[in-house]
Amino acid sequence: MSSTLRSPLRSRLRPSLSSLRRSLRRSLSTVVGTAANSPLHSPLTDAAPSSLRSESTESSDSSQMKRAVAAAIPEKRAALQSLRRDHAAVPLDTLTVGSVLGGMRGARALFWGGTTLSPEQGIRFHGLSIEQCQAQLPGPEILGEGAGESSPGESADALSPSPQFLPESMLWLLMTGRPPSPAEALSVTRLLNERIESQGGALPPEVSRAMRALPRDLHPMTQLSVGLSVLQRNSQFARAYEQGKLGKADYWAPTYEDAITLIANLPLLAGEVYSTVQAQATGTTPQPLGQWRADRDWSYNLCSLLGYTADSANIRGLTAEQQRDFVALMRLYTGIHADHEGGNVSAHTTHLVGSALADPFLAYAAGANGLAGPLHGLAAQEVVRFLESLQRQLGGEKVTDSLLSDQLWALLRAGQVIPGYGHAVLRRADPRFTAMLRFAQARPAEFGADPHVQLMVRLSRVAPAVLREHGRCNNPHPNVDAASGILFHHYGVRELLFFTVIFACSRALGPLAQLVWDRAYGLPIERPKSVDLGQLMKLARG
């Protein structure tokens, strides 16, 4: 990556990082002991002082993001009102019979602020590419973990990993429209942690009870959806709306509070689900796999609660380096999966349900249910199954490009598909796939002996040419699912249906940020007109 992309923001703010780290360590070290003495979380030591356990959800530090959103609202509202007033009749697209019968694919009919998806450039987060996000968004160096995976300004080749950024930094970007400073990114970590501290360091008791009462063999996404729905009991928006305390211009504020509470609870929800998944697989009673810690960031806590860190059950016996890399993988995955325009099922469903003024818990529970559909959020699982099957078919032979090409042709001629290749919008390699591929390529000692990961890498070189020659695929390039699942599988996440729970933790960030802005803009309920077959035939015949 060129030095022009390598974070002028980071280099400008780097002198203040040491003091920020010291401040964070001082403030967070005093609250480490807030985990509740619950069946799911081992209590830590030293109760937090009352000054850090304010009953208000907005401390002088952690309210920075909400203030930034509030400051941005007047200008954006004025711009939207201008469009409505002066340009409401401007056409955007031509709607055809094919559009109506083809799932509205490609029809420009949704308003979405956080991300745009270009067929040639891929995803952009408020105008920033993934590489630019990696260069400009604060990463784990602000937590005192080093300067990411490579230093800003350093040249990066194909085998050099890119700097990490924290999902908290991405959440700030999606909420406010601009990259955060290190202090602002830290304030998001603190904000999320304060929400869990206010719950005693654990899920609300009614949520835990409801989830533990579910059948152990229930689909992991159903378990997550139940947890999200029960969290709704404490919705600030629902309560204020029911009491008639809100003017329409203020709908966004309790929506924001609910969104933060939901996102903060996702690691705990995922940990609850995974403990049940593990118990079902081993025929044992669900047990806590890790602990939530107030001195750790959101992704680290997610990894700990899944049992993949040193302070957890470490269920796969990972080495210290593997534990660090797993946390890095989680930060990468959850950061780049946070949003992908508004037309995908999970994002659109969250927006649609939210447009009826459902609170964020109900809206995102609906969106997460959409994510569980095989055509949306289960693609990574299909890729893992495909790679395992393909590896068996290749047997013990040394895999060469020629051998792999012949095998792919055999599959295509038999009417099968190559999972993880092609995309509804993209017409180039998915930049998210490139980021995941570089993660693996930068760790040859870790992944070099994994035949499935090596097959994934080789497949990304061979499959596009085969698919291009085959001629039935608009985009022969790999999408992110071609790499993401097999990397988690490598570290021991073998329960394939659970992949989507991790996906849901990430995807919450974008649609919930958009829901806050839907309320700030005062957008109406979404209600398009439907037509039946007879009307379509009549319209088609003129």
Side-chain angles (χ1 to χ4, degrees):
M1 190 184 298
S2 69
S3 59
T4 56
L5 271 182
R6 272 304 167 189
S7 192
L9 178 65
R10 281 186 177 177
S11 60
R12 187 172 68 248
L13 294 167
R14 187 164 298 280
S16 65
L17 287 179
S18 296
S19 60
L20 285 167
R21 293 174 192 146
R22 289 192 296 270
S23 175
L24 179 71
R25 287 174 185 271
R26 284 195 301 269
S27 61
L28 291 182
S29 64
T30 59
V31 298
V32 174
T34 60
N37 187 11
S38 72
L40 276 182
H41 298 277
S42 303
L44 303 176
T45 58
D46 299 328
S50 58
S51 61
L52 288 170
R53 292 181 59 85
S54 169
E55 292 184 2
S56 170
T57 58
E58 294 184 306
S59 73
S60 59
D61 175 62
S62 62
S63 62
Q64 290 186 58
M65 185 164 66
K66 188 174 183 180
R67 294 199 304 270
V69 173
I73 286 175
E75 181 179 354
K76 289 184 177 291
R77 275 180 176 166
L80 190 76
Q81 290 167 359
S82 174
L83 282 171
R84 280 174 166 163
R85 181 182 63 249
D86 301 329
H87 306 287
V90 174
L92 294 181
D93 235 326
T94 301
L95 197 61
T96 66
V97 171
S99 299
V100 174
L101 297 180
M104 302 296 287
R105 184 161 295 188
R108 292 178 294 182
L110 294 172
F111 174 54
W112 198 261
T115 51
T116 56
L117 184 58
S118 162
E120 299 303 327
Q121 297 180 339
I123 190 67
R124 288 185 176 267
F125 301 84
H126 281 290
L128 298 180
S129 68
I130 287 177
E131 285 192 334
Q132 289 171 321
C133 287
Q134 289 174 320
Q136 296 185 34
L137 298 185
E141 72 274 10
I142 67 175
L143 305 172
E145 295 185 17
E149 296 185 297
S150 60
S151 299
E154 180 180 282
S155 176
D157 58 32
L159 297 181
S160 174
S162 300
Q164 299 176 38
F165 62 85
L166 295 175
E168 291 93 323
S169 298
M170 176 58 74
L171 179 58
W172 177 287
L173 174 62
L174 291 169
M175 280 283 190
T176 70
R178 63 171 177 81
S181 69
E184 289 167 338
L186 286 176
S187 77
V188 180
T189 296
R190 183 167 183 174
L191 170 63
L192 297 174
N193 286 350
E194 285 176 355
R195 292 302 164 95
I196 304 305
E197 288 181 89
S198 72
Q199 299 171 186
L203 287 170
E206 65 273 16
V207 178
S208 294
R209 286 195 300 268
M211 296 182 72
R212 292 172 193 169
L214 298 172
R216 292 186 192 174
D217 61 351
L218 201 61
H219 193 296
M221 287 299 289
T222 306
Q223 297 180 50
L224 178 66
S225 179
V226 168
L228 289 168
S229 298
V230 180
L231 271 175
Q232 188 270 346
R233 182 172 182 263
N234 298 310
S235 167
Q236 292 191 33
F237 177 84
R239 182 166 55 252
Y241 188 86
E242 182 181 3
Q243 294 171 351
K245 293 181 177 180
L246 287 176
K248 188 174 182 179
D250 298 321
Y251 283 175
W252 73 271
T255 300
Y256 170 92
E257 299 295 345
D258 284 353
I260 296 302
T261 299
L262 191 159
I263 292 168
N265 275 279
L266 284 169
L268 293 166
L269 290 169
E272 184 82 51
V273 173
Y274 201 49
S275 68
T276 302
V277 169
Q278 289 295 305
Q280 173 66 14
T282 58
T284 58
T285 302
Q287 296 293 332
L289 301 176
Q291 57 184 340
W292 178 85
R293 291 178 55 175
D295 63 337
R296 294 293 187 172
D297 61 289
W298 186 81
S299 298
Y300 183 95
N301 276 323
L302 176 55
C303 294
S304 177
L305 291 161
L306 299 185
Y308 284 81
T309 59
D311 52 3
S312 73
N314 192 10
I315 59 175
R316 304 305 182 203
L318 302 183
T319 66
E321 183 176 4
Q322 288 174 325
Q323 293 163 13
R324 288 191 296 271
D325 282 349
F326 187 80
V327 173
L329 175 63
M330 188 66 75
R331 287 169 177 157
L332 172 63
Y333 179 94
T334 53
I336 65 178
H337 280 77
D339 202 29
H340 212 235
E341 213 179 43
N344 64 77
V345 171
S346 55
H348 184 201
T349 301
T350 303
H351 165 76
L352 173 63
V353 175
S355 77
L357 294 186
D359 61 70
F361 301 100
L362 296 179
Y364 191 63
N369 286 338
L371 194 65
L375 296 183
H376 185 22
L378 297 188
Q381 292 90 314
E382 294 303 316
V383 171
V384 171
R385 294 189 183 101
F386 174 75
L387 289 171
E388 291 179 324
S389 174
L390 184 58
Q391 188 68 45
R392 288 192 298 269
Q393 293 168 25
L394 293 168
E397 296 186 63
K398 179 178 174 58
V399 180
T400 64
D401 289 0
S402 176
L403 178 63
L404 182 56
S405 178
D406 290 344
Q407 188 64 34
L408 294 179
W409 273 112
L411 292 171
L412 292 171
R413 290 179 180 126
Q416 299 183 46
V417 299
I418 303 176
Y421 286 75
H423 191 273
V425 178
L426 290 171
R427 294 299 175 264
R428 55 160 286 187
D430 188 338
R432 299 172 301 170
F433 169 82
T434 303
M436 303 296 284
L437 179 64
R438 288 181 63 183
F439 178 91
Q441 289 177 321
R443 294 165 172 82
E446 177 64 33
F447 293 107
D450 186 326
H452 296 113
V453 173
Q454 292 308 306
L455 183 58
M456 175 272 289
V457 174
R458 187 177 294 274
L459 194 64
S460 71
R461 297 197 305 263
V462 174
V466 172
L467 289 168
R468 193 178 294 110
E469 185 178 347
H470 188 246
R472 298 183 184 178
C473 181
N474 290 329
N475 174 23
H477 302 289
N479 61 54
V480 69
D481 300 307
S484 59
I486 203 63
L487 296 184
F488 280 114
H489 185 272
H490 169 85
Y491 287 105
V493 185
R494 304 292 169 83
E495 303 79 14
L496 300 188
L497 290 178
F498 186 76
F499 288 173
T500 316
V501 175
I502 301 176
F503 193 174
C505 289
S506 169
R507 182 49 56 89
L509 275 61
L512 290 177
Q514 180 63 38
L515 188 57
V516 172
W517 279 99
D518 289 348
R519 303 284 165 85
Y521 286 127
L523 296 184
I525 189 170
E526 187 174 294
R527 180 59 170 88
K529 182 82 173 71
S530 62
V531 291
D532 62 24
L533 183 60
Q535 290 172 312
L536 278 177
M537 294 179 69
K538 182 177 180 180
L539 288 168
R541 292 167 182 165

